[in-house]
Amino acid sequence: MIPIKQHPFYIQFTIKLFMVVLLCTIIIYAKNIVAPLAFSILLSILLLPVTNFLSQKLRFPNMLANLTAVLFALAIIATLIYFFSHQIARFLNDMPSIKAHLEMHYETLQHWIKQKFNLSTQDQELMIKNASGRAETKGTQFLGQTFFTITQTVFYVIMVAIYTFLILFYRHNIRRFLISVFHNTNEQQVAEVLVESKGIVQKYMLGLIIEMGIIAVLNSSILLIIGVKYAIFLGVFSAILNIIPYVGIFVGVLFTSLITLTTSSHLSDIVWVIVCFEIIHFLDANVIMPRIVGSKVKINALITILGVVIGGTLMGLAGIFLALPTIAILKIIFDRVDDLKPWGMLFGDDTINSFKVARLKKIMKIKLNKKTGAQVGPDSSVK
């Protein structure tokens, strides 16, 4: 049988492309299995220092240490769920006030449209009535989807807790298995990839949690100063959305602005919210993120956005949150495997300035001329 490396390039490329398509198809159809398992792997890596501390420093039995770490994580998740459910309940209780503010803004908007576009109030109401009639036909379907989403979330949390405990309990077996699979060829490389991936994911996720806490405090403080209702809820929610690279900040600003519109009588509050959130985002991108999260995951912006889009397409919201850690682990693997190092360079964020590019071109030209027997004169230039 002819090895794959000895086939022509187009055959190698076709085989690799087929494997990528097959992998994406498996992820799409098995996302209810893949997503909880992926979150469990990340959570188990994050909880690994806790289990090591409990077992080595406090002399907990291995099973008890793993169980305590998982229960600790569940307690934090339950606290967040209680906080958001309590804030949502408050929001629903204020529906009469929210409706009054919406009616006031609606009348202002109607008057503006009538002046600018010469569209009467009756025509505007007729257009809205037609749109709302189509929306009402989907009400039952929306309620069913909402119930399904809540049920699916509870199922995810339970499965993630179980998977995390089992991964922590059998982590040594899993590590030995992965090293044994590549025992004859790349055992040392696999061990290095496992250690490096664990360290980078731990530092990245811990730094991300600290950064999210700082952004939540800043957002909530600014909203409290402005006088926005549900300031803490909106500040924390926007900080969580900030985890999504490049997209989360805009979604957080849009969501906060809409809620501010429904709870405030002054349109200037929305302007202040947008300005302050953009300032916080600037500080986060240039000061907070580099200092706390650091440059542990050097992924360029193009690959990051593509990863978020592909992850969302394949697995929905779970894929968006899993995109960056997955890309980081892939880059570690690519950098360790000789045949995949070009992909690691493509994923990286090591930019080359124009001087280095010119020098690289000159070196390549000299090497090419040596092979062909030509000479580079003193007046040779590199374009």
Side-chain angles (χ1 to χ4, degrees):
M1 186 175 181
I2 302 176
I4 296 179
K5 291 183 179 180
Q6 297 181 8
H7 285 287
F9 171 77
Y10 64 89
I11 295 180
Q12 297 183 36
F13 179 77
T14 303
I15 294 174
K16 293 175 182 178
L17 183 62
F18 174 76
M19 294 301 296
V20 171
V21 172
L22 180 62
L23 180 61
C24 292
T25 304
I26 293 173
I27 292 175
I28 291 173
Y29 285 98
K31 60 183 177 182
N32 290 332
I33 299 174
V34 175
L37 185 60
F39 278 115
S40 302
I41 294 172
L42 294 178
L43 185 59
S44 61
I45 294 175
L46 185 61
L47 293 177
L48 191 58
V50 179
T51 59
N52 290 335
F53 175 79
L54 293 175
S55 59
Q56 297 175 7
K57 300 295 183 180
L58 301 182
R59 302 298 180 183
F60 277 38
N62 188 28
M63 180 177 291
L64 183 60
N66 298 330
L67 182 60
T68 304
V70 173
L71 291 177
F72 173 73
L74 282 177
I76 296 176
I77 295 173
T79 302
L80 291 175
I81 293 174
Y82 173 77
F83 168 75
F84 281 112
S85 61
H86 178 69
Q87 294 295 322
I88 292 172
R90 284 185 55 200
F91 180 79
L92 294 176
N93 290 333
D94 286 345
M95 283 306 264
S97 175
I98 292 173
K99 185 177 179 181
H101 282 97
L102 282 175
E103 289 177 353
M104 181 184 67
H105 293 308
Y106 174 65
E107 292 176 358
T108 304
L109 180 62
Q110 272 190 328
H111 182 68
W112 183 81
I113 292 175
K114 184 177 180 180
Q115 286 184 334
K116 296 295 182 181
F117 300 99
N118 197 23
L119 191 63
S120 65
T121 306
Q122 291 78 9
D123 293 337
Q124 295 179 39
E125 292 179 350
L126 181 62
M127 294 171 62
I128 294 174
K129 186 179 294 183
N130 292 334
S132 62
R134 290 191 296 266
E136 288 174 359
T137 58
K138 299 182 180 180
T140 305
Q141 182 181 0
F142 174 76
L143 291 175
Q145 290 177 350
T146 303
F147 175 77
F148 176 76
T149 302
I150 295 173
T151 305
Q152 190 179 40
T153 302
V154 174
F155 172 77
Y156 270 22
V157 172
I158 294 173
M159 294 308 299
V160 166
I162 295 174
Y163 287 157
T164 303
F165 171 77
L166 294 176
I167 290 173
L168 287 172
F169 187 74
Y170 294 110
R171 62 183 183 273
H172 299 297
N173 291 6
I174 296 173
R175 187 176 186 276
R176 286 196 297 267
F177 164 77
L178 293 174
I179 293 177
S180 299
V181 169
F182 301 93
H183 177 71
N184 295 328
T185 54
N186 301 313
E187 181 179 355
Q188 183 64 30
Q189 288 182 337
V190 173
E192 291 176 356
V193 167
L194 291 176
V195 173
E196 192 172 348
S197 300
K198 180 188 69 175
I200 286 182
V201 171
Q202 283 178 349
K203 293 177 181 178
Y204 170 73
M205 293 185 66
L206 183 60
L208 206 61
I209 292 172
I210 296 173
E211 181 220 4
M212 185 174 62
I214 295 174
I215 297 300
V217 172
L218 292 176
N219 288 345
S220 302
S221 301
I222 290 295
L223 294 177
L224 286 171
I225 293 173
I226 296 174
V228 176
K229 208 168 185 179
Y230 317 110
I232 298 177
F233 167 67
L234 294 174
V236 174
F237 185 70
S238 299
I240 293 176
L241 288 176
N242 195 54
I243 297 176
I244 305 173
Y246 305 102
V247 179
I249 178 63
F250 299 106
V251 178
V253 170
L254 178 62
F255 180 78
T256 305
S257 300
L258 291 175
I259 299 299
T260 305
L261 177 66
T262 61
T263 56
S264 176
S265 303
H266 306 286
L267 293 177
S268 60
D269 290 344
I270 299 176
V271 178
W272 281 112
V273 166
I274 296 174
V275 171
C276 293
F277 270 42
E278 288 299 325
I279 293 174
I280 292 174
H281 174 63
F282 176 80
L283 293 174
D284 175 43
N286 295 278
V287 179
I288 301 174
M289 175 72 81
R291 290 181 178 272
I292 295 179
V293 179
S295 56
K296 302 300 180 184
V297 184
K298 295 182 179 179
I299 309 295
N300 64 66
L302 175 62
I303 298 299
T304 300
I305 296 175
L306 283 176
V308 170
V309 173
I310 294 173
T313 303
L314 296 178
M315 300 175 61
L317 186 62
I320 293 176
F321 285 99
L322 290 170
L324 197 55
T326 303
I327 293 174
I329 294 174
L330 287 176
K331 187 179 185 304
I332 295 171
I333 297 173
F334 293 161
D335 290 339
R336 292 288 180 179
V337 179
D338 293 335
D339 294 338
L340 299 176
K341 282 184 178 180
W343 292 97
M345 295 170 58
L346 178 65
F347 279 31
D349 195 24
D350 297 328
T351 56
I352 304 177
N353 57 39
S354 57
F355 175 77
K356 290 183 177 179
V357 171
R359 186 172 181 82
L360 182 61
K361 287 182 178 180
K362 187 174 182 179
I363 293 173
M364 292 175 64
K365 188 174 182 179
I366 292 173
K367 290 182 177 179
L368 181 62
N369 288 330
K370 285 182 177 180
K371 287 183 179 180
T372 57
Q375 293 183 355
V376 181
D379 296 331
S380 300
S381 60
V382 179
K383 296 183 180 179

